Amino acid sequence: MVTTIVRVTLVLLGTAVYLGLAILGWGGWTAFFAHPARVALAVALVVLAGVSLFAGGNLSAGVREDRGNRWVIVALTLLGLLAAYLSAYTDRKDFWTIDGDTMGWFGVVLFAAGGILRLWPVFVLGPRFSGLVAIQPGHTLVTSGVYGVIRHPSYLTDGVSMLQTMRVYRTLQTNSTHF
C-alpha cells in the first residue's frame, strides 16, 4: 500500500516533471505561458493532480496480479513524458502545425474531459482500483455508471489525453503568419 506522503510526493513530482518538460519544450516559462490556452492546460493539469490525491486507488498487487502487464505502466509513462516535451517543442518549431486558437481550446477541453474520465473510475472503485492489473480484496465486477458505458475508461483516456495534449501544443501559434 502506498502511504499518503509517498502518494503526494509522486503526484507532485509527476506533475512538475510533466509540466516542466512542456515548458522546456516551449523554450521557457515566458514562452509557454504567453498563450491563454497553455495557461488553461497547466491549470487543468494542476487541478486534476490535486483531485487525484482524493481519488483513492492504489498500486497493490492485490490477491492476484497479472505481472505480464507491468511493462505497460513504464511504456505509458515514457510516452506521456515524450508527448509533454515533443509536442511543445514541435509546436514551437512550427513543425506539423495545425493553426488555430479554436483547435487549441478544443484540445484543452478534451484534455480536461479525458482527465476527469480517467479519475472517475478511481473514485467509483476507491481502494479496489489499482494501477496494476490485479484482483483486489473485495473485488466485484462493476457494470453501472461509467462502467455501464465504457468497459475500460482508464485505458481509453490514457491515450486520448496524450493525443489531446499534442493537439493543444500543435495548434497554438502566437506569432504565426498564418492568421
Side-chain angles (χ1 to χ4, degrees), residues 23 26-35 38:
I23 291 168
W26 245 97
W29 287 90
T30 304
F32 182 85
F33 290 106
H35 197 284
R38 288 193 296 272

Side-chain angles (χ1 to χ4, degrees), residues 56-105:
N58 65 69
L59 283 175
S60 167
V63 176
R64 190 178 78 220
E65 177 197 3
D66 180 2
R67 292 185 179 269
N69 290 333
R70 283 197 174 188
W71 66 270
V72 173
I73 295 170
V74 175
L76 288 176
T77 300
L78 292 175
L79 283 173
L81 294 174
L82 180 64
Y85 175 79
L86 195 57
S87 298
Y89 176 79
T90 55
D91 192 21
R92 178 170 53 100
K93 295 296 185 180
D94 198 19
F95 181 68
W96 285 342
T97 303
I98 303 169
D99 288 335
D101 281 351
T102 302
M103 290 301 289
W105 284 106

